[in-house]
Amino acid sequence: MSSIRNAKYYIALFSAVFIWSSAFIVTKVALTGLGPFTLSAIRITIAFTILLPFALKRGFRFKNLFTRKAFLYGIFGYGGNLVLLSFGLLTCTANISAIIHGLFPVFMILFGYTLLSERITRKKILGILFSVSGVVIASIGDLSQNSGTTLLGILLVTLSVLTWAYYSVYSKKNTAGMDTFVLSEICFGTGFICILPFAIIEQLFTDFSMPGMGAIFSLFYLGIMSGALGIVLWNFGLKKVDSTIAGIYFNLMPVIGLFLAIFAHERIAFLQVSGCVLILAGVFICTKPCK
């Protein structure tokens, strides 16, 4: 019965990852018309505005934004993560970015152990090994076609994964009784405050050009789906799911990509299928309840 009651938290995590799995490509489209700081500031504003009525009903107040913990959520959470990822995607392909996100559960284990004293069990380690190996194998065909990818781009995307892992564990430690919408709004609000000065400077020193319809559509998708809905689902799932197990769900991104590729009638390589099987095995090992 307990596992049935907790199923909604796992479904929330999976739904968030499903939405975010498309964000790499959509972000690259949006970056064709906007700078990284400007893009991040606008998509956060969209997400903040959409969630504001719900957050206000649940106790959110603007004064909640001006605390030390709140700014840590903004710097290491959605704000810092977005900026690093946006800059990284300028010189890193979406495929390589998906591979790098396979490091997320490794970072979650590290922060879960240091901040939450979560045990590092053999089951977790085995699940991590399966899923990370699966990410590499599922994407290995793309490694030989990473034209445009630079070491700096890889470093920035890796740092974005690191900051999101830290935020996920830190918020789990400090927001046990906080409403999901309130937490999400604090994360958006402080992220916007941190990014706004840089977005203004970016506009002052770069030539403004009106983004095309594709960039505008991508921007609203990122703000509404990847932003507002995705982070609410993620914060909700983290309330009851071990941070290490939550990290494993990030490795479902290549699986979701393969699923979408099948519907798009793209050619699927054997290594991709094999890697996805390993990823699913890793998720199953980590989430299977102990008898």
Side-chain angles (χ1 to χ4, degrees):
M1 182 64 70
S2 176
S3 60
I4 295 177
R5 286 198 300 266
N6 288 337
K8 59 184 179 183
Y9 299 103
Y10 291 99
I11 292 173
L13 291 177
F14 174 80
S15 300
V17 171
F18 187 90
I19 293 170
W20 289 338
S21 64
S22 62
F24 302 118
I25 297 175
V26 178
T27 299
K28 291 187 77 70
V29 173
L31 283 169
T32 60
L34 296 166
F37 285 118
T38 304
L39 169 62
S40 301
I42 294 176
R43 64 185 284 189
I44 287 178
T45 301
I46 294 172
F48 183 88
T49 303
I50 289 173
L51 291 185
L52 185 58
F54 304 99
L56 288 172
K57 288 182 179 179
R58 289 165 169 79
F60 170 76
R61 298 295 180 266
F62 284 93
K63 65 180 182 181
N64 299 145
L65 301 177
F66 302 99
T67 66
R68 184 181 67 85
K69 288 182 179 179
F71 270 90
L72 285 177
Y73 301 152
I75 294 171
F76 290 100
Y78 207 65
N81 170 264
L82 274 188
V83 171
L84 290 167
L85 181 60
S86 297
F87 270 102
L89 284 172
L90 288 173
T91 55
C92 187
T93 64
N95 292 326
I96 300 302
S97 297
I99 294 173
I100 296 171
H101 276 70
L103 296 173
F104 184 78
V106 178
F107 294 144
M108 289 288 277
I109 283 184
L110 173 64
F111 292 130
Y113 175 76
T114 56
L115 297 179
L116 300 178
S117 300
E118 292 180 346
R119 292 195 311 131
I120 302 179
T121 63
R122 291 182 179 178
K123 186 176 76 169
K124 288 180 181 179
I125 294 175
L126 184 61
I128 291 290
L129 290 175
F130 267 83
S131 57
V132 173
S133 298
V135 170
V136 176
I137 292 175
S139 306
I140 198 168
D142 297 319
L143 289 173
S144 60
Q145 302 173 354
N146 61 337
S147 58
T149 296
T150 66
L151 182 60
L152 178 61
I154 292 174
L155 176 61
L156 290 172
V157 173
T158 302
L159 286 175
S160 77
V161 178
L162 182 69
T163 57
W164 188 252
Y166 180 82
Y167 159 76
S168 296
V169 178
Y170 184 79
S171 63
K172 182 179 178 67
K173 176 183 178 181
N174 293 280
T175 61
M178 186 180 295
D179 180 84
T180 301
F181 283 90
V182 174
L183 172 60
S184 300
E185 200 71 342
I186 290 174
C187 187
F188 288 136
T190 53
F192 175 78
I193 293 171
C194 293
I195 292 172
L196 182 59
F198 299 99
I200 294 173
I201 294 173
E202 183 176 64
Q203 287 301 308
L204 291 175
F205 289 92
T206 58
D207 295 327
F208 175 78
S209 59
M210 188 65 185
M213 288 304 299
I216 293 174
F217 175 80
S218 300
L219 185 60
F220 277 94
Y221 177 86
L222 291 170
I224 297 170
M225 298 298 292
S226 181
L229 183 57
I231 197 169
V232 166
L233 289 169
W234 182 255
N235 286 335
F236 177 76
L238 280 178
K239 286 183 175 295
K240 293 293 183 180
V241 179
D242 184 285
S243 59
T244 302
I245 296 175
I248 290 291
Y249 275 72
F250 256 66
N251 282 7
L252 288 172
M253 286 185 180
V255 180
I256 296 170
L258 179 65
F259 177 79
L260 296 175
I262 292 174
F263 274 85
H265 304 291
E266 293 183 1
R267 184 179 179 182
I268 305 300
F270 174 75
L271 282 179
Q272 289 178 302
V273 177
S274 301
C276 289
V277 170
L278 286 174
I279 294 169
L280 291 173
V283 174
F284 175 77
I285 290 170
C286 280
T287 56
K288 183 180 180 181
C290 299
K291 295 183 179 181

